[in-house]
Amino acid sequence: MAAAVVAASVLPAGAAAPAEGEVRVPVRYAHQRLDWRPCGDGSPLECAWMAVPRDWHHPDAGPDLTVAVSRHRATGPGGRRGVLMTAAGGPGASGLDRPAGLVKGEPGLSAAYDVVGFDQRGVGRSTRPVCQTDEEFRELFAHDFRDRSPAAVRGVLRRSRALARDCAARGGGLPPYLTTEQTVRDMDLFRALLGVRKISYYGPSYATMIGAYYATLFPRRVERMVLDSNVGWAGSWEEFETGQPKSFQRRFERDFLPWLAKYDAVYHYGRTAREAKARWEARRRALAEHPVTVGEALVGPNQLDNGTIRALYNAEEGFPALASALVALDSGDDARPDGRQAAEKLFGSYLSPAFLAEFFSVTCGDTAWNRDLDTWLERSARDSSALPLAGARELAFASVCAYWPSGPAPKVRVTGAGLPTTLMLASVHDPATHYEAAVKDHRALRGSRLVTVAGGDHGQFHDGNACVDGIVTTYLLTGRAPARDTTCPAVPLPAPEAASGK
Protein backbone atom coordinates (compact mmCIF):
# COMPACT_ATOMS: atom_id res chain seq x y z
CA MET A 1 0.00 0.00 0.00
CA ALA A 2 1.36 3.42 -0.89
CA ALA A 3 2.30 5.67 1.99
CA ALA A 4 -0.36 8.32 2.66
CA VAL A 5 1.98 11.14 3.61
CA VAL A 6 1.96 14.85 2.83
CA ALA A 7 4.86 17.33 2.86
CA ALA A 8 4.91 19.47 6.00
CA SER A 9 5.97 23.10 6.20
CA VAL A 10 7.15 22.78 9.81
CA LEU A 11 9.61 20.11 10.87
CA PRO A 12 8.17 17.81 13.57
CA ALA A 13 9.69 18.13 17.03
CA GLY A 14 13.05 16.45 17.26
CA ALA A 15 13.18 15.39 13.61
CA ALA A 16 15.99 17.68 12.45
CA ALA A 17 18.63 16.64 14.95
CA PRO A 18 20.76 13.53 14.43
CA ALA A 19 19.26 10.54 16.22
CA GLU A 20 20.92 9.46 19.44
CA GLY A 21 21.71 6.19 17.68
CA GLU A 22 23.98 8.12 15.26
CA VAL A 23 21.76 7.75 12.18
CA ARG A 24 20.59 11.00 10.60
CA VAL A 25 16.97 11.15 9.40
CA PRO A 26 16.90 12.27 5.75
CA VAL A 27 14.71 15.31 5.09
CA ARG A 28 12.31 13.45 2.83
CA TYR A 29 11.27 11.27 5.79
CA ALA A 30 11.41 13.97 8.46
CA HIS A 31 9.14 16.29 6.43
CA GLN A 32 6.23 13.87 6.17
CA ARG A 33 2.88 14.67 7.71
CA LEU A 34 0.69 11.82 8.91
CA ASP A 35 -2.67 11.90 7.15
CA TRP A 36 -4.95 10.48 9.86
CA ARG A 37 -8.17 8.81 8.75
CA PRO A 38 -10.60 6.33 10.36
CA CYS A 39 -9.14 2.83 10.34
CA GLY A 40 -12.48 1.36 9.23
CA ASP A 41 -14.35 -1.84 10.16
CA GLY A 42 -15.85 -0.12 13.19
CA SER A 43 -12.45 0.52 14.79
CA PRO A 44 -12.29 3.42 17.29
CA LEU A 45 -8.81 4.24 16.00
CA GLU A 46 -7.37 6.51 13.35
CA CYS A 47 -4.78 5.16 10.92
CA ALA A 48 -2.08 6.62 8.72
CA TRP A 49 0.98 5.45 6.83
CA MET A 50 4.55 6.69 6.85
CA ALA A 51 7.43 6.05 4.47
CA VAL A 52 10.65 4.71 5.95
CA PRO A 53 13.93 3.69 4.31
CA ARG A 54 14.46 0.00 3.72
CA ASP A 55 17.82 0.34 5.45
CA TRP A 56 18.28 3.19 7.93
CA HIS A 57 22.05 2.88 7.60
CA HIS A 58 21.91 3.32 3.80
CA PRO A 59 18.65 5.20 3.18
CA ASP A 60 19.32 5.74 -0.53
CA ALA A 61 20.22 2.13 -1.29
CA GLY A 62 16.76 0.66 -1.88
CA PRO A 63 13.05 1.33 -2.20
CA ASP A 64 11.11 2.88 0.65
CA LEU A 65 8.92 0.76 2.91
CA THR A 66 5.50 1.68 4.24
CA VAL A 67 4.69 1.41 7.94
CA ALA A 68 1.05 1.52 9.06
CA VAL A 69 0.43 3.49 12.28
CA SER A 70 -2.63 4.07 14.47
CA ARG A 71 -3.76 6.23 17.37
CA HIS A 72 -6.46 6.66 19.98
CA ARG A 73 -6.71 10.33 20.87
CA ALA A 74 -6.68 11.30 24.53
CA THR A 75 -10.24 11.77 25.75
CA GLY A 76 -9.28 14.40 28.34
CA PRO A 77 -7.24 17.00 26.46
CA GLY A 78 -7.15 19.30 29.48
CA GLY A 79 -5.13 16.72 31.41
CA ARG A 80 -3.29 15.19 28.46
CA ARG A 81 0.26 14.29 29.44
CA GLY A 82 1.68 12.90 26.20
CA VAL A 83 2.01 9.88 23.92
CA LEU A 84 1.94 6.25 25.03
CA MET A 85 3.32 4.01 22.29
CA THR A 86 2.67 0.28 22.16
CA ALA A 87 3.85 -2.54 19.91
CA ALA A 88 3.00 -6.18 19.27
CA GLY A 89 4.74 -9.44 20.10
CA GLY A 90 5.70 -12.39 17.99
CA PRO A 91 7.80 -11.32 16.18
CA GLY A 92 5.07 -11.36 13.55
CA ALA A 93 1.93 -10.13 15.28
CA SER A 94 0.04 -7.00 14.22
CA GLY A 95 0.18 -4.00 16.53
CA LEU A 96 -2.17 -1.70 14.64
CA ASP A 97 -5.20 -2.45 16.85
CA ARG A 98 -3.26 -2.56 20.14
CA PRO A 99 -4.13 1.01 21.25
CA ALA A 100 -7.83 0.08 21.42
CA GLY A 101 -7.10 -2.87 23.70
CA LEU A 102 -4.74 -0.88 25.89
CA VAL A 103 -7.26 1.86 26.70
CA LYS A 104 -10.21 -0.52 27.15
CA GLY A 105 -11.29 -0.35 30.78
CA GLU A 106 -8.58 2.21 31.54
CA PRO A 107 -10.26 5.65 31.63
CA GLY A 108 -7.21 7.20 33.28
CA LEU A 109 -4.85 6.12 30.52
CA SER A 110 -7.39 6.96 27.85
CA ALA A 111 -7.78 10.48 29.21
CA ALA A 112 -4.07 11.15 29.78
CA TYR A 113 -2.45 9.74 26.66
CA ASP A 114 -2.68 9.67 22.92
CA VAL A 115 -2.15 5.90 22.66
CA VAL A 116 -0.45 4.94 19.40
CA GLY A 117 0.56 1.70 17.75
CA PHE A 118 1.94 0.36 14.49
CA ASP A 119 2.42 -2.69 12.33
CA GLN A 120 6.18 -3.06 12.37
CA ARG A 121 7.94 -3.38 9.04
CA GLY A 122 7.19 -6.80 7.56
CA VAL A 123 3.83 -7.19 9.35
CA GLY A 124 0.13 -6.70 8.63
CA ARG A 125 -0.72 -3.55 6.70
CA SER A 126 2.92 -2.48 6.47
CA THR A 127 5.24 -3.58 3.65
CA ARG A 128 5.83 -7.29 4.13
CA PRO A 129 7.51 -10.16 2.33
CA VAL A 130 5.96 -13.32 0.93
CA CYS A 131 8.10 -16.40 1.48
CA GLN A 132 5.83 -19.40 1.00
CA THR A 133 2.33 -20.38 -0.01
CA ASP A 134 -0.13 -21.76 2.54
CA GLU A 135 0.40 -25.25 1.10
CA GLU A 136 4.19 -25.02 1.37
CA PHE A 137 3.91 -23.69 4.90
CA ARG A 138 1.57 -26.49 6.05
CA GLU A 139 4.18 -29.00 4.97
CA LEU A 140 6.49 -27.65 7.68
CA PHE A 141 4.14 -29.00 10.38
CA ALA A 142 2.66 -31.94 8.48
CA HIS A 143 4.77 -34.69 10.02
CA ASP A 144 5.91 -35.72 13.51
CA PHE A 145 8.74 -33.69 15.00
CA ARG A 146 9.39 -36.43 17.57
CA ASP A 147 10.28 -38.89 14.83
CA ARG A 148 14.09 -39.07 14.96
CA SER A 149 14.56 -41.64 12.22
CA PRO A 150 17.18 -40.64 9.62
CA ALA A 151 14.53 -40.11 6.95
CA ALA A 152 12.41 -37.93 9.25
CA VAL A 153 15.38 -35.82 10.33
CA ARG A 154 16.41 -35.32 6.72
CA GLY A 155 12.87 -34.19 5.98
CA VAL A 156 12.92 -31.63 8.79
CA LEU A 157 16.21 -30.19 7.55
CA ARG A 158 15.00 -30.14 3.95
CA ARG A 159 11.84 -28.22 4.82
CA SER A 160 13.70 -25.77 7.06
CA ARG A 161 16.29 -25.15 4.37
CA ALA A 162 13.49 -24.57 1.85
CA LEU A 163 11.86 -21.97 4.09
CA ALA A 164 15.12 -20.06 4.49
CA ARG A 165 15.83 -20.33 0.75
CA ASP A 166 12.31 -19.21 -0.20
CA CYS A 167 12.50 -16.13 2.03
CA ALA A 168 15.78 -15.15 0.42
CA ALA A 169 14.47 -15.76 -3.11
CA ARG A 170 10.89 -14.50 -2.83
CA GLY A 171 11.07 -11.92 -0.05
CA GLY A 172 11.74 -8.96 -2.32
CA GLY A 173 15.03 -8.28 -0.58
CA LEU A 174 13.20 -7.41 2.68
CA PRO A 175 14.24 -10.10 5.20
CA PRO A 176 17.73 -8.68 5.94
CA TYR A 177 16.10 -5.40 6.97
CA LEU A 178 13.31 -6.83 9.10
CA THR A 179 15.20 -6.51 12.36
CA THR A 180 14.48 -5.02 15.76
CA GLU A 181 17.14 -2.35 15.32
CA GLN A 182 15.57 -1.14 12.06
CA THR A 183 12.11 -1.20 13.66
CA VAL A 184 13.08 1.05 16.56
CA ARG A 185 14.40 3.63 14.11
CA ASP A 186 10.97 3.53 12.44
CA MET A 187 9.54 4.12 15.92
CA ASP A 188 11.64 7.19 16.48
CA LEU A 189 10.57 8.65 13.16
CA PHE A 190 6.97 8.01 14.22
CA ARG A 191 7.66 9.83 17.49
CA ALA A 192 9.08 12.81 15.60
CA LEU A 193 6.15 12.93 13.18
CA LEU A 194 3.80 13.00 16.17
CA GLY A 195 5.55 16.20 17.23
CA VAL A 196 6.72 15.05 20.66
CA ARG A 197 10.20 14.91 22.15
CA LYS A 198 9.52 11.97 24.47
CA ILE A 199 7.24 8.96 24.54
CA SER A 200 6.05 6.54 27.18
CA TYR A 201 5.89 2.91 26.12
CA TYR A 202 4.11 -0.36 26.91
CA GLY A 203 5.28 -3.53 25.20
CA PRO A 204 4.42 -7.19 25.86
CA SER A 205 6.40 -10.29 24.83
CA TYR A 206 8.67 -9.59 21.83
CA ALA A 207 7.65 -5.93 22.11
CA THR A 208 9.81 -5.84 25.27
CA MET A 209 12.83 -6.27 23.02
CA ILE A 210 11.57 -3.48 20.78
CA GLY A 211 11.22 -1.27 23.86
CA ALA A 212 14.59 -2.23 25.33
CA TYR A 213 16.37 -1.57 22.04
CA TYR A 214 14.57 1.75 21.61
CA ALA A 215 15.52 2.78 25.14
CA THR A 216 19.15 1.88 24.44
CA LEU A 217 19.42 3.80 21.18
CA PHE A 218 17.24 6.74 22.25
CA PRO A 219 17.33 6.96 26.07
CA ARG A 220 16.55 10.68 26.16
CA ARG A 221 13.37 10.06 24.16
CA VAL A 222 11.88 7.87 26.91
CA GLU A 223 9.65 9.18 29.68
CA ARG A 224 8.17 5.95 31.11
CA MET A 225 8.48 2.37 29.98
CA VAL A 226 6.67 -0.89 30.87
CA LEU A 227 8.13 -4.17 29.58
CA ASP A 228 5.70 -7.06 30.12
CA SER A 229 6.74 -10.74 29.81
CA ASN A 230 10.26 -10.18 28.61
CA VAL A 231 12.05 -12.10 25.89
CA GLY A 232 15.73 -12.59 26.52
CA TRP A 233 16.99 -9.38 24.97
CA ALA A 234 19.96 -9.29 27.34
CA GLY A 235 21.36 -12.26 25.43
CA SER A 236 20.88 -13.75 21.97
CA TRP A 237 17.78 -15.16 20.32
CA GLU A 238 19.49 -18.55 20.30
CA GLU A 239 20.00 -18.45 24.05
CA PHE A 240 16.40 -17.37 24.63
CA GLU A 241 14.74 -19.89 22.32
CA THR A 242 16.73 -22.84 23.63
CA GLY A 243 15.22 -22.06 27.03
CA GLN A 244 11.64 -22.41 25.78
CA PRO A 245 11.39 -26.23 25.77
CA LYS A 246 11.90 -26.17 29.54
CA SER A 247 9.39 -23.39 30.18
CA PHE A 248 6.63 -24.86 27.99
CA GLN A 249 7.11 -28.29 29.59
CA ARG A 250 7.04 -26.69 33.05
CA ARG A 251 3.77 -24.90 32.36
CA PHE A 252 2.24 -28.08 30.90
CA GLU A 253 3.26 -30.39 33.74
CA ARG A 254 3.05 -28.07 36.75
CA ASP A 255 -0.02 -26.03 35.86
CA PHE A 256 -2.21 -27.55 33.15
CA LEU A 257 -2.03 -31.25 33.97
CA PRO A 258 -2.69 -30.77 37.72
CA TRP A 259 -5.60 -28.47 36.81
CA LEU A 260 -6.99 -31.08 34.40
CA ALA A 261 -6.70 -33.79 37.07
CA LYS A 262 -8.41 -31.56 39.63
CA TYR A 263 -11.47 -31.46 37.39
CA ASP A 264 -11.54 -35.15 36.52
CA ALA A 265 -15.22 -35.17 37.49
CA VAL A 266 -15.79 -32.76 34.59
CA TYR A 267 -13.37 -33.97 31.92
CA HIS A 268 -12.69 -37.59 32.99
CA TYR A 269 -9.12 -37.35 31.73
CA GLY A 270 -7.29 -38.74 34.77
CA ARG A 271 -7.44 -38.30 38.53
CA THR A 272 -3.76 -37.35 38.81
CA ALA A 273 -1.41 -35.28 36.68
CA ARG A 274 0.50 -38.45 35.85
CA GLU A 275 -2.66 -40.19 34.62
CA ALA A 276 -3.66 -37.14 32.56
CA LYS A 277 -0.20 -36.93 30.98
CA ALA A 278 -0.25 -40.64 30.12
CA ARG A 279 -3.60 -40.22 28.39
CA TRP A 280 -2.36 -37.17 26.47
CA GLU A 281 0.71 -39.11 25.33
CA ALA A 282 -1.49 -42.05 24.29
CA ARG A 283 -3.62 -39.71 22.20
CA ARG A 284 -0.48 -38.32 20.56
CA ARG A 285 0.78 -41.81 19.67
CA ALA A 286 -2.61 -42.62 18.16
CA LEU A 287 -2.55 -39.44 16.07
CA ALA A 288 0.96 -40.26 14.84
CA GLU A 289 -0.37 -43.54 13.46
CA HIS A 290 -3.77 -42.26 12.32
CA PRO A 291 -4.38 -38.50 12.05
CA VAL A 292 -8.03 -37.53 12.37
CA THR A 293 -10.15 -34.93 10.64
CA VAL A 294 -12.12 -32.53 12.83
CA GLY A 295 -14.21 -30.19 10.74
CA GLU A 296 -11.75 -28.87 8.16
CA ALA A 297 -8.69 -29.55 10.34
CA LEU A 298 -6.43 -32.56 9.89
CA VAL A 299 -5.04 -33.25 13.37
CA GLY A 300 -1.80 -35.17 13.68
CA PRO A 301 0.83 -35.26 16.44
CA ASN A 302 2.36 -31.87 15.61
CA GLN A 303 -1.09 -30.28 15.59
CA LEU A 304 -1.77 -31.71 19.06
CA ASP A 305 1.52 -30.19 20.23
CA ASN A 306 0.75 -26.85 18.58
CA GLY A 307 -2.74 -26.58 20.06
CA THR A 308 -1.47 -27.52 23.51
CA ILE A 309 1.29 -24.91 23.26
CA ARG A 310 -1.25 -22.24 22.27
CA ALA A 311 -3.53 -23.09 25.19
CA LEU A 312 -0.78 -22.67 27.78
CA TYR A 313 -0.39 -18.92 27.23
CA ASN A 314 -3.52 -17.97 29.19
CA ALA A 315 -5.22 -20.28 31.68
CA GLU A 316 -8.60 -18.54 31.72
CA GLU A 317 -9.06 -18.90 27.98
CA GLY A 318 -6.77 -21.80 27.16
CA PHE A 319 -7.14 -24.47 29.85
CA PRO A 320 -10.89 -25.13 29.47
CA ALA A 321 -10.62 -24.92 25.67
CA LEU A 322 -7.78 -27.46 25.57
CA ALA A 323 -9.52 -29.81 28.00
CA SER A 324 -12.73 -29.75 25.95
CA ALA A 325 -10.79 -30.25 22.72
CA LEU A 326 -8.95 -33.26 24.19
CA VAL A 327 -12.22 -34.83 25.29
CA ALA A 328 -13.63 -34.26 21.80
CA LEU A 329 -10.65 -36.02 20.20
CA ASP A 330 -11.19 -39.04 22.43
CA SER A 331 -14.94 -39.02 21.82
CA GLY A 332 -14.65 -39.17 18.03
CA ASP A 333 -17.99 -39.13 16.25
CA ASP A 334 -19.78 -38.96 19.61
CA ALA A 335 -18.22 -35.62 20.50
CA ARG A 336 -20.57 -32.75 21.15
CA PRO A 337 -20.65 -30.02 18.49
CA ASP A 338 -19.13 -27.40 20.80
CA GLY A 339 -16.31 -29.78 21.69
CA ARG A 340 -15.59 -30.48 18.02
CA GLN A 341 -15.58 -26.73 17.34
CA ALA A 342 -13.09 -26.22 20.17
CA ALA A 343 -10.84 -28.96 18.75
CA GLU A 344 -11.01 -27.61 15.20
CA LYS A 345 -10.19 -24.09 16.35
CA LEU A 346 -7.36 -25.06 18.67
CA PHE A 347 -5.66 -27.75 16.59
CA GLY A 348 -6.56 -26.50 13.11
CA SER A 349 -4.43 -23.36 12.91
CA TYR A 350 -1.00 -22.40 14.15
CA LEU A 351 1.03 -19.43 13.01
CA SER A 352 1.02 -18.64 9.26
CA PRO A 353 3.52 -18.16 6.43
CA ALA A 354 3.24 -14.38 6.86
CA PHE A 355 3.93 -14.66 10.60
CA LEU A 356 6.96 -16.90 10.14
CA ALA A 357 8.43 -14.68 7.42
CA GLU A 358 8.70 -11.90 10.02
CA PHE A 359 9.50 -14.24 12.90
CA PHE A 360 12.53 -15.79 11.25
CA SER A 361 13.71 -12.53 9.71
CA VAL A 362 13.93 -11.05 13.21
CA THR A 363 15.05 -14.03 15.26
CA CYS A 364 17.61 -15.23 12.70
CA GLY A 365 18.77 -11.72 11.79
CA ASP A 366 19.02 -9.81 15.06
CA THR A 367 21.75 -11.89 16.65
CA ALA A 368 24.18 -14.61 15.57
CA TRP A 369 23.23 -18.30 15.48
CA ASN A 370 25.29 -21.45 15.72
CA ARG A 371 25.24 -22.84 12.18
CA ASP A 372 26.70 -26.25 13.06
CA LEU A 373 23.89 -28.70 12.30
CA ASP A 374 25.57 -31.50 14.27
CA THR A 375 25.21 -29.37 17.40
CA TRP A 376 21.49 -28.90 16.73
CA LEU A 377 20.94 -32.55 15.93
CA GLU A 378 22.49 -33.50 19.27
CA ARG A 379 20.73 -30.85 21.34
CA SER A 380 17.33 -31.33 19.73
CA ALA A 381 17.52 -35.08 20.30
CA ARG A 382 18.02 -34.44 24.04
CA ASP A 383 15.27 -31.84 24.26
CA SER A 384 12.86 -33.89 22.17
CA SER A 385 13.25 -36.71 24.67
CA ALA A 386 13.33 -34.78 27.94
CA LEU A 387 11.18 -31.72 27.09
CA PRO A 388 9.13 -32.94 24.15
CA LEU A 389 6.23 -30.50 24.00
CA ALA A 390 8.35 -27.70 22.48
CA GLY A 391 11.67 -29.54 22.37
CA ALA A 392 10.45 -31.75 19.53
CA ARG A 393 10.20 -28.77 17.18
CA GLU A 394 13.57 -27.31 18.20
CA LEU A 395 15.45 -28.78 15.24
CA ALA A 396 12.95 -27.38 12.73
CA PHE A 397 13.14 -23.84 14.12
CA ALA A 398 16.86 -23.73 14.89
CA SER A 399 17.85 -25.15 11.52
CA VAL A 400 15.93 -22.40 9.71
CA CYS A 401 18.28 -19.92 11.40
CA ALA A 402 21.28 -22.15 10.71
CA TYR A 403 20.41 -21.95 7.00
CA TRP A 404 19.42 -18.26 7.10
CA PRO A 405 21.76 -15.88 5.23
CA SER A 406 23.86 -13.70 7.52
CA GLY A 407 22.36 -10.23 7.85
CA PRO A 408 23.66 -6.72 8.53
CA ALA A 409 21.93 -6.12 11.87
CA PRO A 410 24.22 -4.64 14.54
CA LYS A 411 24.05 -6.15 18.01
CA VAL A 412 22.42 -3.83 20.49
CA ARG A 413 23.67 -4.17 24.07
CA VAL A 414 21.03 -3.05 26.56
CA THR A 415 22.33 -1.41 29.74
CA GLY A 416 19.70 1.05 30.93
CA ALA A 417 22.17 3.94 30.82
CA GLY A 418 20.43 7.30 30.82
CA LEU A 419 16.97 5.88 31.41
CA PRO A 420 14.34 6.72 34.01
CA THR A 421 13.10 3.85 36.18
CA THR A 422 11.70 1.11 33.95
CA LEU A 423 8.93 -1.24 35.07
CA MET A 424 9.29 -4.93 34.18
CA LEU A 425 6.64 -7.64 34.61
CA ALA A 426 7.14 -11.43 34.57
CA SER A 427 5.38 -14.58 35.79
CA VAL A 428 7.29 -17.54 37.15
CA HIS A 429 5.65 -20.18 34.91
CA ASP A 430 5.28 -18.12 31.74
CA PRO A 431 5.69 -20.73 28.99
CA ALA A 432 6.75 -18.45 26.14
CA THR A 433 8.98 -15.86 27.84
CA HIS A 434 10.57 -17.82 30.63
CA TYR A 435 11.19 -16.22 33.98
CA GLU A 436 14.91 -16.97 33.85
CA ALA A 437 15.28 -14.65 30.85
CA ALA A 438 13.32 -11.90 32.60
CA VAL A 439 15.65 -12.05 35.62
CA LYS A 440 18.69 -11.77 33.36
CA ASP A 441 17.08 -8.84 31.52
CA HIS A 442 16.33 -7.14 34.82
CA ARG A 443 19.96 -7.41 35.89
CA ALA A 444 21.10 -5.93 32.57
CA LEU A 445 18.67 -2.99 32.68
CA ARG A 446 20.09 -0.81 35.43
CA GLY A 447 17.53 0.94 37.61
CA SER A 448 14.61 -1.27 36.55
CA ARG A 449 11.96 -2.64 38.92
CA LEU A 450 10.81 -6.22 38.46
CA VAL A 451 7.24 -7.19 39.37
CA THR A 452 7.11 -10.98 39.70
CA VAL A 453 3.71 -12.66 39.36
CA ALA A 454 3.37 -15.99 41.13
CA GLY A 455 1.48 -17.51 38.21
CA GLY A 456 1.99 -18.77 34.70
CA ASP A 457 0.13 -16.63 32.17
CA HIS A 458 1.91 -14.87 29.33
CA GLY A 459 1.20 -11.13 29.52
CA GLN A 460 0.50 -9.66 32.97
CA PHE A 461 -1.14 -6.27 32.38
CA HIS A 462 -4.89 -6.56 31.73
CA ASP A 463 -4.83 -10.22 32.80
CA GLY A 464 -7.30 -9.79 35.64
CA ASN A 465 -4.61 -9.19 38.25
CA ALA A 466 -5.57 -6.13 40.31
CA CYS A 467 -2.12 -5.97 41.91
CA VAL A 468 -0.32 -5.76 38.56
CA ASP A 469 -2.87 -3.42 36.98
CA GLY A 470 -2.65 -1.03 39.92
CA ILE A 471 1.14 -0.87 39.78
CA VAL A 472 1.21 -0.31 36.01
CA THR A 473 -1.50 2.36 35.86
CA THR A 474 -0.05 4.24 38.83
CA TYR A 475 3.36 4.22 37.18
CA LEU A 476 2.10 5.38 33.79
CA LEU A 477 -0.11 8.12 35.24
CA THR A 478 2.18 9.44 37.99
CA GLY A 479 5.66 8.06 37.30
CA ARG A 480 5.73 6.33 40.70
CA ALA A 481 7.31 2.88 40.49
CA PRO A 482 7.73 0.44 43.39
CA ALA A 483 10.71 1.40 45.54
CA ARG A 484 12.14 -2.08 45.06
CA ASP A 485 11.33 -5.32 43.24
CA THR A 486 7.98 -6.71 44.32
CA THR A 487 5.67 -9.70 43.92
CA CYS A 488 1.99 -9.99 43.02
CA PRO A 489 -0.14 -13.08 43.72
CA ALA A 490 -1.30 -15.22 40.82
CA VAL A 491 -4.73 -14.95 39.26
CA PRO A 492 -6.71 -18.05 40.39
CA LEU A 493 -6.97 -20.75 37.74
CA PRO A 494 -10.41 -21.07 36.10
CA ALA A 495 -13.10 -23.45 37.29
CA PRO A 496 -14.93 -25.05 34.33
CA GLU A 497 -18.73 -25.19 34.24
CA ALA A 498 -19.03 -28.40 32.23
CA ALA A 499 -17.12 -30.42 29.69
CA SER A 500 -17.99 -29.69 26.09
CA GLY A 501 -16.43 -32.75 24.53
CA LYS A 502 -19.02 -35.47 24.95
Side-chain angles (χ1 to χ4, degrees), residues 115-137:
V115 183
V116 303
F118 60 98
D119 277 346
Q120 69 193 62
R121 52 172 61 208
V123 169
R125 295 171 70 180
S126 297
T127 304
R128 55 193 179 96
V130 176
C131 290
Q132 289 190 326
T133 65
D134 289 341
E135 292 74 20
E136 289 170 327
F137 168 76

Side-chain angles (χ1 to χ4, degrees), residues 48 101 170 370 406 482:
R170 306 176 188 174
N370 185 337
S406 297

Side-chain angles (χ1 to χ4, degrees), residues 201-204 208 222-230 233 419-426 442 445-452 461 467-477 479-486 488:
Y201 180 83
Y202 168 80
T208 62
V222 176
E223 185 172 22
R224 294 165 190 171
M225 179 165 287
V226 181
L227 305 179
D228 184 350
S229 302
N230 290 255
W233 39 258
L419 284 178
T421 300
T422 300
L423 194 62
M424 299 178 64
L425 316 174
H442 172 46
L445 192 62
R446 296 198 297 267
S448 60
R449 300 287 186 273
L450 178 62
V451 179
T452 295
F461 187 45
C467 174
V468 172
D469 291 353
I471 291 172
V472 173
T473 54
T474 296
Y475 170 77
L476 288 175
L477 292 176
R480 292 196 304 271
R484 58 185 62 86
D485 295 348
T486 190
C488 284

Side-chain angles (χ1 to χ4, degrees), residues 27 89 114 154 159 183 203 206 243 245 254 274 387 398 405 412 419 459 461 465 468 473 500-501:
V27 171
D114 286 342
R154 286 194 300 270
R159 289 183 289 274
T183 289
Y206 163 62
R254 297 189 187 180
R274 178 175 292 185
L387 307 164
V412 177
L419 284 178
F461 187 45
N465 192 316
V468 172
T473 54
S500 57

Side-chain angles (χ1 to χ4, degrees), residues 38-276:
C39 292
D41 297 326
S43 171
L45 305 178
E46 296 175 300
C47 286
W49 287 263
M50 65 180 188
V52 302
R54 185 182 67 167
D55 181 2
W56 275 103
H57 301 280
H58 303 91
D60 297 320
D64 287 350
L65 308 184
T66 299
V67 172
V69 298
S70 63
R71 74 175 176 186
H72 183 282
R73 286 180 177 270
T75 57
R80 180 183 177 277
R81 63 161 295 103
V83 167
L84 175 60
M85 191 175 291
T86 186
S94 169
L96 206 62
D97 294 331
R98 290 298 176 98
L102 195 60
V103 301
K104 187 177 182 180
E106 293 287 351
L109 294 182
S110 178
Y113 286 103
D114 286 342
V115 183
V116 303
F118 60 98
D119 277 346
Q120 69 193 62
R121 52 172 61 208
V123 169
R125 295 171 70 180
S126 297
T127 304
R128 55 193 179 96
V130 176
C131 290
Q132 289 190 326
T133 65
D134 289 341
E135 292 74 20
E136 289 170 327
F137 168 76
R138 278 194 291 269
E139 181 67 13
L140 186 70
F141 294 100
H143 305 271
D144 183 358
F145 285 146
R146 285 201 203 175
D147 185 350
R148 302 295 299 189
S149 67
V153 169
R154 286 194 300 270
V156 169
L157 296 178
R158 182 177 63 252
R159 289 183 289 274
S160 295
R161 184 170 55 247
L163 178 55
R165 181 192 61 225
D166 290 344
C167 277
R170 306 176 188 174
L174 286 177
Y177 308 103
L178 303 181
T179 66
T180 306
E181 186 261 347
Q182 295 278 354
T183 289
V184 302
R185 298 191 185 282
D186 297 343
M187 280 176 59
D188 199 56
L189 175 63
F190 185 23
R191 172 206 58 77
L193 296 180
L194 290 169
V196 296
R197 296 194 178 276
K198 289 188 176 185
I199 60 168
S200 293
Y201 180 83
Y202 168 80
S205 194
Y206 163 62
T208 62
M209 187 171 190
I210 295 175
Y213 274 32
Y214 183 85
T216 298
L217 295 179
F218 306 102
R220 292 189 294 275
R221 308 293 196 203
V222 176
E223 185 172 22
R224 294 165 190 171
M225 179 165 287
V226 181
L227 305 179
D228 184 350
S229 302
N230 290 255
V231 302
W233 39 258
S236 67
W237 276 109
E238 178 183 321
E239 180 183 355
F240 171 70
E241 289 191 25
T242 52
Q244 286 186 316
K246 178 180 178 180
S247 55
F248 274 107
Q249 199 73 31
R250 177 170 60 198
R251 174 71 156 163
F252 181 55
E253 296 188 0
R254 297 189 187 180
D255 291 347
F256 174 69
L257 291 176
W259 176 90
L260 186 60
K262 178 180 178 180
Y263 294 105
D264 180 61
V266 177
Y267 298 110
H268 310 292
Y269 212 79
R271 291 174 292 178
T272 66
R274 178 175 292 185
E275 289 178 358

Side-chain angles (χ1 to χ4, degrees), residues 324-476:
S324 295
L326 291 173
V327 172
L329 287 180
D330 280 1
S331 300
D333 293 338
D334 295 329
R336 284 168 35 177
D338 52 350
R340 291 180 64 84
Q341 291 172 2
E344 181 181 11
K345 180 178 179 181
L346 192 61
F347 301 130
S349 62
Y350 184 66
L351 307 180
S352 69
F355 184 98
L356 282 190
E358 173 76 7
F359 177 86
F360 284 119
S361 294
V362 172
T363 59
C364 301
D366 272 354
T367 55
W369 277 78
N370 185 337
R371 295 174 180 269
D372 179 20
L373 289 177
D374 288 339
T375 298
W376 290 114
L377 287 168
E378 180 181 347
R379 179 176 185 121
S380 65
R382 293 197 309 268
D383 286 346
S384 183
S385 175
L387 307 164
L389 183 60
R393 71 180 190 183
E394 185 175 49
L395 178 62
F397 278 61
S399 58
V400 171
C401 287
Y403 289 123
W404 201 266
S406 297
K411 179 69 173 73
V412 177
R413 181 173 177 267
V414 179
T415 65
L419 284 178
T421 300
T422 300
L423 194 62
M424 299 178 64
L425 316 174
S427 68
V428 294
H429 282 183
D430 187 325
T433 55
H434 40 88
Y435 186 68
E436 294 84 350
V439 171
K440 184 175 180 179
D441 291 342
H442 172 46
R443 290 171 180 161
L445 192 62
R446 296 198 297 267
S448 60
R449 300 287 186 273
L450 178 62
V451 179
T452 295
V453 179
D457 279 0
H458 177 66
Q460 306 311 307
F461 187 45
H462 283 180
D463 192 40
N465 192 316
C467 174
V468 172
D469 291 353
I471 291 172
V472 173
T473 54
T474 296
Y475 170 77
L476 288 175

